[in-house]
Amino acid sequence: MNYDELKAGQELDALIAVKVMGLPAETGHFMIHAPIYLPYSTNISSAWEVVEKIKTPNIRIEIQMPFGDNRWICWISNLKKGTIGGAGADCAATAICRAVLKAKETP
């Protein structure tokens, strides 16, 4: 799956909830038969919960907005393997979510 093409919203939030936060896909609050998860991809407080979840002594997370650019960049590195995930987006929360999903799939 190309995470860079996922827009912020329910689909990205659901992927984070299930693949990263460990929530079952069939639980949560339901509204019109659609699971509602925290807004990980649009809210920096919720995205920071994702950062806290993956944080270990071997994981380094960098979030930055390069000078003169209006996009946020998130890099996730493993001290033993190097960069394992990186993504950009107009919103810091979205960049974090995309990078974390990529990192989770890196062997």
Side-chain angles (χ1 to χ4, degrees):
M1 177 174 274
N2 185 350
Y3 296 119
D4 290 321
E5 293 178 0
L6 282 177
K7 295 186 185 303
Q10 287 184 344
E11 183 180 3
L12 186 51
D13 296 340
L15 285 169
I16 289 291
V18 174
K19 291 187 174 194
V20 179
M21 304 305 283
L23 299 174
E26 65 274 3
T27 65
H29 303 286
F30 286 86
M31 177 182 283
I32 313 174
H33 306 291
I36 304 296
Y37 298 105
L38 288 177
Y40 300 111
S41 63
T42 57
N43 180 286
I44 194 63
S45 295
S46 298
W48 203 255
E49 290 183 34
V50 177
V51 169
E52 291 294 328
K53 178 78 173 179
I54 68 161
K55 177 175 84 170
T56 70
N58 289 329
I59 298 292
R60 179 178 179 182
I61 302 161
E62 295 179 53
I63 305 161
Q64 57 182 282
M65 180 182 271
F67 183 73
D69 195 354
N70 288 327
R71 289 181 56 83
W72 288 91
I73 306 294
C74 179
W75 293 105
I76 301 173
S77 303
N78 179 303
L79 295 179
K80 296 177 182 176
K81 298 178 184 178
T83 300
I84 57 174
D90 293 336
C91 169
T94 306
I96 290 168
C97 290
R98 289 174 178 169
V100 168
L101 287 169
K102 288 180 181 181
K104 289 295 258 184
E105 290 191 353
T106 301

